[in-house]
Amino acid sequence: MDFLVFPDHPVTDRLAARLPRTPATRTITHLSGRPWIVGHWRHEELVTERVGPRCAVLLGTTSATSGALARVLRRLRGLDDLAGLRHELPGSFFLLARMGAEIRAQGSLSAVRRLHRTELAGITVLGSRPQDLAALAHVAADSGLPGAPGTGTVDEEALAARLLAPGAPLPLALRTPWRAVHAVPPGHCAAHDPAGRYREDRWWSPPEPDLPLPDAAEAVREALSAAVHARTHRATLSADLSGGLDSTSVCFLAARDGTELITTGWEGRDPADDGPLWSAHSAYRLSRVRHEGRHLSLPYTDAPTWYTPPALPAHTDPAGPLAAVRDAARLLHQARLVAKFGSRMHLAGVGGDELFALRPVALNSLARGDLRAAVRLARRARRLAPWSLPATVRTLLGGRCYPRWLAAGADRIAPGARRRPAGTDWEDVPAMPPWAHPDAVATVRRLLREAAVAAPEPFDPLRAQHETAAAAVRAGERVRGIDALTSAYGVAYEAPFLDDAVIEAALAVRLADRVPGDGGKPVLAAAMRGIVPGPVLGRRGRRAHSAELHAGLRRNRRALTALCADSRLAALGLIRPEALRPVLTSLQPDTGALRPLDPTLAAEFWLRALPARPAHGTAPPPAARTTAPAAESD
């Protein structure tokens, strides 16, 4: 699915006329007859309804019907009322609506459905994929309709920020690697007034975290059940079944709807890894409740290793460096297998950790309102992790405001620097890799300081709320990138945990209930009690991946080392190949030293996948593709 969104403006006719048209192009028009939405989507990805001058469009995955949209449209007083629809319309989708000449568009709270924008010929054009806006910018420039200078070319500064590990803070993470193509921030909508003027409005803020555990568990169960149900109307569905609580919850909820369910579980290289045993146990219990389906145990001997370089440019994500770079080849292998069994959608448990795992920063936020309860819970949490007394005090009482935290991050950015989370940080504290060029380090420091000067607002004044929402955004970016890969094989990749209603239900949980006494996920376990087998609810272990990591590096060492000889990142002055090469060729007993490798490889592979003339974009404009049904208009 991909599309562009145009305002009802005379320039739209000239821009849309530059799009190559094929029978695959689909168009939804403004009341004036000008193009409004132009792109490609399957029939099941579109739900639309029109009531007089009002029209609503859902593009993505949902169980909503056109009748439900009609009821919504009839009671709208204004487009701002659309903010409350996330509870009525389950799923993950783009929501676009118009009332007369006024239009509004929004994606999901996570980055799974993210809108982008650019300025062309005096108007703001929106798109579901940044590479399509970049391609349109070059087509427009060739036709005498330019945007900002350099629009759609590679943004070296954004790539420098992409080298940060484990990831750039939110303001920098929103920068696309395409110059003058911007992401619409999460929780914001894009709007055009009747005159075509553009603005971005914030429509969402996290709820108050005041729901006690029994009520919170019920809310999570209802939201996650609806999210899974929005995807089970397909005849055949596949899903991860790792044996962990997250993926197991998704599988057992899907099995209740009677769809044919194909589950997959990876065999591990490490003999001490008990993940395959839990996966097999869950598959056996699942076979007793589902009507049809099978479990596929995926041997590591038959699959690509981690860090396998992309075989084709199509095995990267044109939108930007791929967050799932280390296991991209394995994910493609999995997609090909489930496609053979008829699956056209694969469900994953991504997002469960981000929403429900132990969050030490919750103690910091709880201390703001109930210091005594926070101290009591901190004592209990210290039994689970080796916190020193000073670290515990910092967790409870420390912290800066968000802009000051960003500014301080600029001073901490040093190649190879790593430190443990303090429990008071707004997000994961990133570092540049040891092989980063000094100029790239200086650039990232400047970008952080500039971001801090702009005084960006966090998702919420409470660090726990912001940190959880930001983690969901990062997980959504991973899912969106994987979907870009697997969709090429006809298999959509989706994560029900990252639907808006599930995120909001998780954020409504009382802070005191987010600090478990046993290291588990008490809210999710309570929500799934009676649905997921009891032993899985109490599982505490995590899969060990160091064997996969080392095996992948050994198998692909020659190919990865060859990247240093003609590195695209080095050509842009972002890394020092002579510092990267020893990391790739030597034994690394501490896997933490390899943490910065993923962002670097992702950026390198992305640059190598660009066509010879990047100015033409990395993909044809939306109207040039041929995978969608014939043209339509509403």
Side-chain angles (χ1 to χ4, degrees):
M1 176 180 64
D2 58 82
F3 59 87
L4 297 175
V5 183
F6 297 94
D8 192 358
H9 190 280
V11 175
T12 290
D13 292 321
R14 298 180 62 188
L15 284 173
R18 303 309 191 269
L19 295 174
R21 300 270 174 174
T22 75
T25 306
R26 304 184 73 174
T27 301
I28 299 175
T29 61
H30 288 285
L31 289 174
S32 65
R34 293 190 180 102
W36 175 25
I37 307 169
V38 182
H40 307 88
W41 49 84
R42 297 188 303 273
H43 175 74
E44 63 269 20
E45 292 178 314
L46 172 71
V47 181
T48 185
E49 186 58 53
R50 183 170 56 184
V51 177
R54 304 176 177 184
C55 180
V57 176
L58 304 183
L59 281 168
T61 301
T62 181
S63 56
T65 64
S66 57
L69 278 186
R71 291 190 292 272
V72 167
L73 287 172
R74 290 190 183 99
R75 70 171 189 261
L76 282 184
R77 295 166 298 176
L79 291 182
D80 289 344
D81 292 347
L82 294 173
L85 291 186
R86 58 191 176 277
H87 298 296
E88 297 183 46
L89 306 174
S92 175
F93 47 80
F94 293 97
L95 170 60
L96 303 101
R98 69 169 188 242
M99 292 183 70
E102 184 179 3
I103 63 175
R104 169 180 169 137
Q106 66 189 51
S108 58
L109 296 179
S110 71
V112 176
R113 314 288 186 192
R114 174 177 285 176
L115 284 171
H116 304 82
R117 63 174 171 83
T118 193
E119 306 295 324
L120 294 174
I123 65 171
T124 301
V125 182
L126 301 171
S128 60
R129 309 190 311 182
Q131 68 267 33
D132 293 336
L133 291 171
L136 178 64
H138 302 310
V139 172
D142 291 342
S143 304
L145 296 170
T151 298
T153 57
V154 173
D155 186 342
E156 293 88 348
E157 290 190 348
L159 279 182
R162 293 292 183 109
L163 298 181
L164 285 166
L170 200 59
L172 301 190
L174 292 178
R175 289 188 62 158
T176 77
W178 302 102
R179 189 171 285 115
V181 177
H182 310 280
V184 176
H188 288 68
C189 68
H192 287 93
D193 66 16
R197 292 184 293 265
Y198 177 82
R199 69 181 188 277
E200 290 177 0
D201 297 325
R202 183 167 182 169
W203 64 270
W204 179 83
S205 295
E208 287 296 322
D210 54 9
L211 209 58
L213 183 58
D215 297 332
E218 181 179 356
V220 169
R221 179 169 57 251
E222 291 178 357
L224 187 58
S225 298
V228 173
H229 181 69
R231 296 159 169 89
T232 55
H233 59 276
R234 291 157 178 80
T236 303
L237 197 68
S238 59
D240 288 339
L241 185 58
S242 67
L245 180 55
D246 306 332
S247 64
T248 306
S249 297
V250 170
C251 288
F252 274 83
L253 287 172
R256 297 197 308 174
D257 286 344
T259 188
E260 180 181 359
L261 183 63
I262 301 164
T263 55
T264 63
W266 290 100
E267 293 183 3
R269 293 176 181 269
D270 189 343
D273 180 8
D274 65 350
L277 294 177
W278 283 97
S279 178
H281 170 78
S282 296
Y284 170 73
R285 297 291 296 268
L286 190 63
S287 67
R288 301 174 63 181
V289 300
R290 62 182 168 185
H291 299 286
E292 295 183 79
R294 59 173 18 178
H295 180 68
L296 303 178
S297 183
L298 307 180
Y300 65 83
T301 54
D302 297 341
T305 59
W306 281 12
Y307 294 116
T308 297
L312 299 168
H315 293 171
T316 58
D317 178 13
L322 185 68
V325 63
R326 68 168 63 173
D327 51 345
R330 282 163 58 102
L331 291 164
L332 287 172
H333 171 75
Q334 180 187 55
R336 287 191 290 263
L337 286 177
V338 298
K340 290 180 180 179
F341 288 93
S343 174
R344 295 296 174 264
M345 178 178 287
H346 187 83
L347 304 186
V350 180
D353 281 343
E354 288 77 6
L355 297 179
F356 298 107
L358 171 65
R359 319 299 287 190
V361 73
L363 291 171
N364 180 274
S365 297
L366 179 61
R368 298 296 187 268
D370 191 344
L371 180 59
R372 182 173 299 178
V375 170
R376 183 175 64 253
L377 289 170
R379 288 173 178 167
R380 188 172 68 182
R382 286 185 67 191
R383 295 196 293 267
L384 301 175
W387 291 0
S388 65
L389 182 60
T392 303
V393 173
R394 286 195 301 271
T395 295
L396 290 172
L397 305 177
R400 303 177 174 94
C401 69
Y402 190 56
R404 288 183 60 194
W405 177 81
L406 282 174
D411 299 328
R412 292 195 299 260
I413 295 296
R418 289 185 291 142
R419 72 181 184 91
R420 298 178 63 86
T424 61
D425 293 314
W426 290 90
E427 300 170 36
D428 286 341
V429 178
M432 290 292 276
W435 49 83
H437 193 282
D439 290 345
V441 176
T443 295
V444 173
R445 285 174 173 160
R446 174 175 56 79
L447 293 177
L448 279 170
R449 293 188 180 104
E450 290 174 353
V453 169
E457 292 185 0
F459 281 115
D460 192 269
L462 286 176
R463 290 169 179 79
Q465 298 295 79
H466 173 87
E467 195 254 3
T468 299
V473 170
R474 289 192 295 271
E477 176 64 20
R478 175 181 173 85
V479 169
R480 187 208 54 75
I482 296 172
D483 179 65
L485 300 184
T486 62
S487 291
Y489 292 90
V491 180
Y493 189 91
E494 302 231 352
F497 278 104
L498 296 177
D499 283 7
D500 289 3
V502 182
I503 293 174
E504 187 156 270
L507 288 168
V509 179
R510 189 170 54 188
L511 292 172
D513 292 322
R514 298 190 198 177
V515 187
D518 54 4
K521 299 174 182 176
V523 178
L524 184 58
M528 293 295 103
R529 188 161 289 117
I531 299 174
V532 170
V536 179
L537 296 177
R539 186 186 176 195
R540 298 292 178 262
R542 296 181 61 87
R543 296 195 72 158
H545 295 298
S546 59
E548 300 290 348
L549 188 149
H550 287 301
L553 287 177
R554 284 196 305 269
R555 175 71 61 86
N556 301 294
R557 180 171 289 129
R558 180 174 298 179
L560 296 177
T561 305
L563 298 176
C564 298
D566 62 340
S567 168
R568 305 294 195 272
L569 289 171
L572 294 176
L574 298 179
I575 69 168
R576 296 177 297 121
E578 68 276 9
L580 174 60
R581 187 178 291 106
V583 177
L584 296 172
T585 57
S586 61
L587 180 65
Q588 297 290 337
D590 178 15
T591 57
L594 298 170
R595 194 182 193 190
L597 188 57
D598 286 19
T600 298
L601 291 178
E604 182 68 36
F605 289 148
W606 181 76
L607 286 171
R608 288 172 177 269
L610 291 178
R613 182 172 177 256
H616 284 303
T618 64
R625 294 181 53 189
T626 58
T627 57
E632 292 184 4
S633 60
D634 72 336

